[in-house]
Amino acid sequence: MINVVVADDELPAVAELAYLLSRDPRVGEIHRATSGAEALKALEEFPVDALFLDIHMPALSGLDIARVISRFARPPAVVFVTADEAQALEAFELAAVDYVLKPVRAERLAESVRRVCELMEDDAAAPEVVTVDQGGITKMIRRDEIRYIQAQGDYARLHTQDSSYLIRVPLNDLEQQWAAAGYIRIHRSYLVAMDRIDQVKLQTGRAAVMVGGTELPVSRRALPHLRERLAAKRVRPL
């Protein structure tokens, strides 16, 4: 099932689209927004797989939102739902999954949902790839090779087995974008892949994890969540 945001500055349009989507069994949570700012806020607060956007909204238009999320490491799919036929070319240049004209028909909307689900299946099958710059050379590395990430101001350093790469993305952003991929915040300065943790050290007054021979601190604030995640993975007798 996919979780979606419906954004339109006209409340009746939001209500109608949300209703049509709610009748589709492939659609899970539906978050409503009446402005571009509310749509972006929903992305911060909830896991979202697709945005159904009107193009003409005050301040932040649907096209503006698509430009913003195009910079995400893993942006949600975008479907434009609009009465304006003239923006289709620009919409598809922004990698829109679909462009639906109002008034919206249930059958046409179902086709958009099918395209989003198909895109998600393709993404799930292929490993996430991260683009990094190193010495003037652009490299592509698989995300599942990244053991842990270290905060360095507005940048983050990605650590693999053999190297490290600096990217201009704050650790807070990566924490949100990569949570579903199994990365967990253990400290204000560190994000770690759960399946890369080899050992957890608990001592009086401090805690740490071992990741590929490197010891990383665990903050008191992060420790309960780490324990909860580890407990969920523990093998228990039937």
Side-chain angles (χ1 to χ4, degrees), residues 164-184:
S164 68
Y165 308 91
L166 195 64
I167 61 173
R168 193 169 186 174
V169 180
L171 195 65
N172 287 341
D173 291 358
L174 290 179
E175 179 184 6
Q176 294 179 23
Q177 295 170 26
W178 291 5
Y183 287 83
I184 180 173

Side-chain angles (χ1 to χ4, degrees), residues 13 42 117 180 223 232:
C117 291
L223 185 56

Side-chain angles (χ1 to χ4, degrees), residues 102-115:
K102 297 177 181 179
V104 180
R105 294 180 294 109
E107 298 81 3
R108 182 65 183 85
L109 192 61
E111 170 62 15
S112 296
V113 173
R114 184 195 67 78
R115 294 185 185 187

Side-chain angles (χ1 to χ4, degrees), residues 75-217:
V78 172
V79 175
F80 288 108
V81 184
T82 178
D84 186 358
E85 297 183 37
Q87 304 289 333
L89 178 60
E90 187 174 1
F92 285 115
E93 286 176 347
L94 290 169
V97 172
D98 207 353
Y99 194 91
V100 181
L101 291 176
K102 297 177 181 179
V104 180
R105 294 180 294 109
E107 298 81 3
R108 182 65 183 85
L109 192 61
E111 170 62 15
S112 296
V113 173
R114 184 195 67 78
R115 294 185 185 187
V116 172
C117 291
E118 190 175 83
L119 179 65
M120 288 184 61
E121 289 174 359
D122 291 343
D123 289 346
E128 179 78 16
V129 174
V130 181
T131 303
V132 297
D133 295 320
Q134 190 177 49
I137 298 174
T138 299
K139 295 184 63 176
M140 310 291 284
I141 61 172
R142 288 173 46 155
R143 183 172 62 185
D144 57 14
E145 295 177 352
I146 300 169
R147 297 181 170 195
Y148 65 94
I149 304 99
Q150 181 179 9
Q152 294 191 347
D154 291 333
Y155 291 76
R157 183 167 292 279
L158 314 178
H159 291 265
T160 64
Q161 179 178 348
D162 303 316
S163 189
S164 68
Y165 308 91
L166 195 64
I167 61 173
R168 193 169 186 174
V169 180
L171 195 65
N172 287 341
D173 291 358
L174 290 179
E175 179 184 6
Q176 294 179 23
Q177 295 170 26
W178 291 5
Y183 287 83
I184 180 173
R185 190 73 170 263
I186 61 167
H187 189 274
R188 65 181 182 182
S189 298
Y190 292 101
L191 191 66
V192 174
M194 280 291 297
D195 60 1
R196 295 287 188 170
I197 296 176
D198 301 315
Q199 186 179 1
V200 179
K201 295 182 176 182
L202 298 175
Q203 300 173 348
T204 304
R206 65 184 297 270
V209 296
M210 295 298 298
V211 178
T214 301
E215 183 173 301
L216 303 174

